[in-house]
Amino acid sequence: MKKTTTVVAKDTTNPYESMLARFDVAAKIIGLDEETHNVLKVPSKIVTVNLPVYMDDGSTRIFEGYRIIHSNILGPSKGGIRYSMMVDQDEVKALAAWMTWKCAIADIPYGGAKGGITCDPAKMSVGELERLTRAYTVAMSDVFGENQDIPAPDMNTGPREMAWIVDTYSKIKRAYIPGVVTGKPLHLGGSLGRTEATGRGVMIAAMEAMKKLKMDPKKTKAAVQGFGNVGSYAAHYFEAQGIRVVAISDVTGAYYNPKGIDINKAIAHAEANGRQLTGLKGAEKITNEQLLELNVDLLAPCAMENQITAKNVNNIKAKLIVEGANGPTTSGADEVLQKKGIVVIPDILANGGGVTVSYFEWVQNRNGYYWPLEEVVQKADASMKKAFKNCWDASTKYKVSMRIGAYIFAMNKVANAIKSRGHF
Ligand code: NAD
């Protein structure tokens, strides 16, 4: 596929600048008016809190937490909560904006937000994490709301944290309000299919792209970086499609077997091993950097930001990159990939399966009526295929990369809503 962009994005590893670089390119191409451009390039609300929490050793520690709402033009804002030492305001700002574009592409009636707490959950006890999560919920109780702002899990948070949030929030509001968060445990109103939804969507996006590129799944070799919620399910569904997954990785390193790795065994190994791949048998240990540069057809970065950068982009050999993680490719690396003819299915499209099923969870909570798994999966797959087509068509129409095509599709939609609603 030969495509050209006439406007070049500047390179940066700052996630917010990286988002803006692509946003500016797309804005120029569609001739976005200056007023709407100014509205969309800044978040609509930033809330920062400092949370004192009792630690198990009797001390009190202060944790910094954020909730940033980029836009609520298309509906209540939606976005996960991340626990990591890397969390800072610019990271959360970028992730919030990406959620705006992602929800527009997934065609769900939400705006974009993100939350985060700067902490190292691996060094905290369950009790400390519970007190921190409940303190954060109390501090954000006027921000969150099932018609206002709806959190969900992200890195290092999951159904357990969502259960604490729904419990704390419901106690404050004196009513049980499960729709205030998604990604809840099933017995608290979670949706069937939510846990695996992002990884499954990554597979659907990859299969749609492979059809366009005439790649046969049975002759395709894949490498998947990150083996958490997104990466492990993406690898599992790739394998189910006949794709040979030759490398997987996590924070402990990467594991390579040219004959293919048995993904279900790797998942069972990680589950029995504190969710880590250390000691995985039947694979050679390599580094995460080497995994990215392997001679594979399909590369799925599913761990974190800034993995494909100006430093390693020239060594990338995959024909197709499907971004399970948010922001794994820097804006400068994008240009090089495009010149090399490597097709990138961008994060704001490829990992939208998770927020789509989160939306289904919220709909089910509000109706008090729950769908069977087949219905969730069928609706989510159809939605991902439609989103892929919309972005593909935009990229073909404007002769730009899939990423810029995806931004163009999302920005047109949000800009139209801003113009119709107006402001005062
Ligand atoms: P997770 O915490 O479940 O898993 C993260 C994985 O990445 C773990 O296996 C971890 O060991 C690994 N990892 C961490 N640092 C690494 C490094 N330096 N090199 C290689 N691997 C490393 O998180 P997740 O929910 O799977 O999220 C992963 C990415 O996908 C994030 O960018 C997140 O924002 C994005 N995402 C997640 C969802 C979702 O539904 N969970 C939805 C959309 C996007």
Side-chain angles (χ1 to χ4, degrees):
M1 193 177 52
K2 287 205 171 62
K3 290 185 170 178
T4 45
T5 326
T6 43
V7 194
V8 171
K10 75 173 185 140
D11 192 32
T12 171
T13 50
N14 174 299
Y16 193 66
E17 285 175 13
S18 201
M19 188 290 296
L20 277 184
R22 277 74 172 251
F23 171 76
D24 287 344
V25 171
K28 223 172 216 169
I29 292 171
I30 60 173
L32 187 69
D33 64 89
E34 202 185 332
E35 291 76 16
T36 312
H37 192 226
N38 287 341
V39 172
L40 286 172
K41 77 180 182 196
V42 287
S44 72
K45 187 190 272 190
I46 297 181
V47 183
T48 308
V49 289
N50 287 296
L51 305 166
V53 173
Y54 289 128
M55 305 305 282
D56 291 347
D57 64 5
S59 66
T60 296
R61 259 186 67 190
I62 313 292
F63 292 89
E64 191 158 65
Y66 304 93
R67 186 72 183 168
I68 299 187
I69 293 168
H70 173 257
S71 167
N72 50 16
I73 284 294
L74 289 174
S77 50
K78 187 89 190 81
I81 297 170
R82 174 176 290 198
Y83 288 0
S84 153
M85 287 309 289
M86 311 249 297
V87 164
D88 63 22
Q89 189 165 303
D90 266 9
E91 185 189 61
V92 183
K93 259 165 80 177
L95 289 160
W98 281 324
M99 285 306 297
T100 300
W101 315 131
K102 198 179 297 184
C103 293
I105 290 167
D107 204 18
I108 53 182
Y110 286 147
K114 203 81 182 187
I117 303 179
T118 316
C119 65
D120 185 354
K123 295 199 178 128
M124 293 171 70
S125 70
V126 174
E128 289 168 344
L129 285 169
E130 178 173 352
R131 293 192 287 280
L132 175 62
T133 306
R134 290 187 187 274
Y136 179 74
T137 309
V138 171
M140 296 295 176
S141 60
D142 289 334
V143 179
F144 298 164
E146 65 172 351
N147 291 315
Q148 249 172 276
D149 177 50
I150 309 150
D154 191 66
M155 271 168 89
N156 296 321
T157 61
R160 180 182 68 178
E161 285 73 17
M162 299 308 112
W164 292 330
I165 293 176
V166 88
D167 179 73
T168 311
Y169 184 83
S170 296
K171 281 176 176 144
I172 292 168
K173 302 292 174 186
R174 308 226 176 271
Y176 185 50
I177 308 173
V180 71
V181 284
T182 60
K184 297 178 291 293
L186 276 183
H187 57 275
L188 290 181
S191 176
L192 289 166
R194 172 62 187 90
T195 310
E196 57 272 37
T198 309
R200 183 174 174 87
V202 169
M203 176 276 285
I204 298 284
M207 295 297 285
E208 291 301 290
M210 285 165 64
K211 271 188 228 158
K212 296 281 185 194
L213 302 176
K214 303 204 171 12
M215 289 166 68
D216 177 355
K218 306 237 157 24
K219 293 184 186 143
T220 296
K221 283 184 291 175
V224 180
Q225 187 195 40
F227 207 66
N229 176 277
V230 182
S232 63
Y233 280 110
H236 164 81
Y237 288 115
F238 286 164
E239 187 182 59
Q241 293 296 329
I243 294 170
R244 189 167 14 132
V245 182
V246 296
I248 55 176
S249 77
D250 68 5
V251 71
T252 68
Y255 304 82
Y256 173 59
N257 181 344
K259 291 193 180 132
I261 290 173
D262 183 329
I263 300 301
N264 288 332
K265 271 194 190 153
I267 290 175
H269 174 85
E271 262 165 27
N273 196 34
R275 295 199 186 155
Q276 295 203 332
L277 289 169
T278 340
L280 183 73
K281 295 208 176 67
E284 179 195 341
K285 182 102 188 262
I286 58 171
T287 64
N288 262 296
E289 292 72 28
Q290 286 171 315
L291 174 142
L292 296 170
E293 298 175 9
L294 283 174
N295 192 6
V296 291
D297 309 292
L298 166 63
L299 176 63
C302 298
M304 57 195 297
E305 288 108 73
N306 294 332
Q307 297 303 297
I308 302 172
T309 66
K311 267 196 202 149
N312 63 1
V313 65
N314 280 309
N315 303 329
I316 303 287
K317 300 178 190 70
K319 295 186 195 75
L320 172 64
I321 297 176
V322 182
E323 295 182 336
N326 286 312
T329 309
T330 64
S331 43
D334 258 353
E335 305 290 330
V336 181
L337 292 171
Q338 205 182 344
K339 280 197 191 112
K340 287 173 67 161
I342 298 175
V343 174
V344 180
I345 309 304
D347 43 10
I348 51 176
L349 166 62
N351 68 35
V355 75
T356 300
V357 178
S358 271
Y359 164 61
F360 296 162
E361 178 177 333
W362 180 77
V363 170
Q364 292 171 79
N365 292 154
R366 292 163 68 97
N367 287 323
Y369 177 75
Y370 290 84
W371 311 344
L373 179 62
E374 302 70 45
E375 190 174 344
V376 174
V377 172
Q378 180 262 323
K379 285 189 160 83
D381 287 1
S383 165
M384 181 55 80
K385 287 178 189 171
K386 188 175 87 182
F388 183 93
K389 183 178 183 311
N390 286 336
C391 297
W392 185 272
D393 290 351
S395 83
T396 311
K397 179 173 169 194
Y398 290 93
K399 296 188 172 44
V400 291
S401 67
M402 269 298 263
R403 187 182 318 275
I404 299 300
Y407 269 82
I408 287 176
F409 177 82
M411 285 164 59
N412 268 330
K413 192 166 171 181
V414 178
N416 274 340
I418 290 177
K419 281 182 201 134
S420 304
R421 285 184 61 167
H423 19 249
F424 40 83

